[in-house]
Amino acid sequence: MNAVAKCIHTVRLSSVDENFIVDGVLLSVVGGSSITDKTSFETLNRDALQWFVKAIASSLHERFKTLSSTSDKENGNVSFIIIHGAGSFGHHIAKEYGLRGQEDRPASTNSLSDASVIKRKMTGLAKTRSSVKKLNGAVVEMFLDAGINCVGISPCINIPQLQAHGGNEQGGVDILVSSIQAALDANLIPIIHGDAGLYGKNDAGILGGDTLVEIIACHKSWEKKISKTVFLTDVNGVYSEDPKRCPNATLVNNIEVDSSSGKIVTKNYNASASTHKHDVTGGLATKLKSAVKVVKVGINVNICQCCSEDAEKALKGINMEGGTNIRLIQNE
């Protein structure tokens, strides 16, 4: 068994509940709207972040904890890859400078010609990166304070081959995944953040956390190694209507994806784009699109509310009573 395999191999604990279903590597994605106050520039939601750190610590394998760790004495059995959004530490600036999430590979002709436009885009990139790295530093610091060995990973610029659309044309995703594997191999929890990066020769865009989930979880090197992906959001899953606007909206507990077509077969769900005036990465619509792609490679997905009992269960690998489960089905 090689070093990486040793870090992510499955070991079952005899003392856990019979509903314990996750061992190995769990990909946890916490939205920026959960750990920041998205309405207030560069404002941390410290209570939510502390809850998240404690929830991870209670599920985490002891190999990732410091000698002086004061986190829960009852260790879990899970290794984590953590991705967090930017919230008020990135979206405000990105919106001001016209940076947005990208999906398509930039065209070979994608080159800005107006010098003042180029300069403004690069200023937006620089300021957005500075802001999101502040948040990443705060997240890493809180994990370290809880006795968890972890490292922050900035995906863009640090990896020149990785641009804002998250494509692997130049091997950028390969390098990012290798960095994550190296951290896990060294018993360090990797904490990756949504980032601002180049998009083509001299344009800029946003590589959002939901896109990072997709390109990391679907990478060929993780085949059968990631046991589950958990999205933590500011609502308790996917609803029939926007729960923030429609008080009668009902929670959709299960969303099924056809294994042949890759399309969602569940009816009566709503996955609208974000209505927040500062959002630049698409909200729940982008999240669900990425979740479907993750499910297609055989990884089940949970979407639940940060700081909830369902979220705690999901991070421990216990079946949720609420939230939304996204899973692949085989149609005859």
Side-chain angles (χ1 to χ4, degrees):
M1 185 181 292
N2 61 34
V4 173
K6 286 181 180 178
C7 183
I8 58 180
H9 74 291
T10 296
V11 181
R12 291 197 171 271
L13 298 181
S14 59
S15 60
V16 296
D17 186 273
E18 64 179 0
N19 288 324
F20 192 90
I21 56 176
V22 176
D23 298 301
V25 177
L26 191 150
L27 180 56
S28 177
V29 194
V30 60
S33 59
S34 295
I35 59 173
T36 75
D37 178 355
K38 213 165 184 178
T39 65
S40 181
F41 180 63
E42 292 190 349
T43 302
L44 193 66
N45 184 338
R46 192 166 294 276
D47 290 342
L49 182 54
Q50 287 177 336
W51 176 92
F52 178 61
V53 171
K54 185 176 180 181
I56 293 291
S58 66
S59 305
L60 186 64
H61 195 285
E62 63 179 346
R63 66 166 60 93
F64 296 99
K65 297 184 178 182
T66 66
L67 292 174
S68 58
S69 174
T70 59
S71 58
D72 292 16
K73 298 301 181 183
E74 183 179 348
N75 295 305
N77 194 42
V78 184
S79 306
F80 284 91
I81 299 169
I82 295 172
I83 299 172
H84 68 80
S88 62
F89 283 79
H91 287 265
H92 288 246
I93 298 174
K95 186 80 170 182
E96 178 184 354
Y97 285 89
L99 274 62
R100 59 183 179 82
Q102 301 292 341
E103 295 183 1
D104 300 323
R105 178 179 180 175
S108 57
T109 56
N110 184 51
S111 179
L112 299 176
S113 57
D114 189 310
S116 62
V117 173
I118 294 171
K119 183 172 288 188
R120 180 171 175 79
K121 281 294 185 77
M122 293 306 109
T123 300
L125 186 159
K127 287 187 174 183
T128 302
R129 287 206 82 230
S130 176
S131 186
V132 296
K133 288 178 74 174
K134 288 179 189 176
L135 176 59
N136 186 251
V139 173
V140 168
E141 183 177 3
M142 196 169 288
F143 272 93
L144 290 172
D145 288 345
I148 297 172
N149 288 324
C150 61
V151 288
I153 296 178
S154 297
C156 294
I157 303 297
N158 295 34
I159 303 175
Q161 298 90 338
L162 185 58
Q163 295 203 339
H165 65 299
N168 199 33
E169 302 89 5
Q170 302 178 62
V173 179
D174 294 337
I175 297 172
L176 175 61
V177 168
S178 294
S179 298
I180 293 169
Q181 290 179 322
L184 290 171
D185 184 39
N187 298 333
L188 297 166
I189 295 298
I191 303 179
I192 308 106
H193 62 83
D195 205 356
L198 293 171
Y199 185 58
K201 183 179 179 181
N202 53 16
D203 200 355
I206 301 298
L207 177 56
D210 296 333
T211 302
L212 284 166
V213 173
E214 176 187 328
I215 64 176
I216 292 170
C218 297
H219 193 271
K220 59 184 182 297
S221 69
W222 291 114
E223 186 178 0
K224 297 182 180 179
K225 295 175 183 176
I226 294 178
S227 51
K228 179 185 281 191
T229 295
V230 177
F231 287 88
L232 302 181
T233 73
D234 58 351
V235 294
N236 198 33
V238 179
Y239 284 77
S240 59
E241 300 290 341
D242 184 347
K244 295 180 180 179
R245 294 182 170 185
C246 304
N248 295 324
T250 57
L251 182 67
V252 180
N253 288 117
N254 294 293
I255 291 181
E256 297 178 333
V257 179
D258 182 84
S259 60
S260 299
S261 67
K263 294 182 179 180
I264 295 175
V265 297
T266 303
K267 307 295 183 182
N268 301 321
Y269 71 92
N270 177 273
S272 57
S274 173
T275 57
H276 196 283
K277 65 179 181 179
H278 297 296
D279 195 281
V280 295
T281 53
L284 183 59
T286 302
K287 197 177 308 297
L288 190 57
K289 183 177 180 180
S290 294
V292 167
K293 290 185 178 180
V294 171
V295 167
K296 285 170 63 179
V297 299
I299 302 171
N300 285 343
V301 173
N302 293 157
I303 301 177
C304 49
Q305 189 169 29
C306 186
C307 303
S308 68
E309 184 177 341
D310 282 323
E312 187 172 357
K313 287 180 178 180
L315 292 174
K316 288 182 179 296
I318 300 171
N319 291 320
M320 302 185 302
E321 294 181 7
T324 298
N325 300 293
I326 305 177
R327 61 193 180 191
L328 203 65
I329 61 167
Q330 304 287 337
N331 277 343
E332 298 296 333

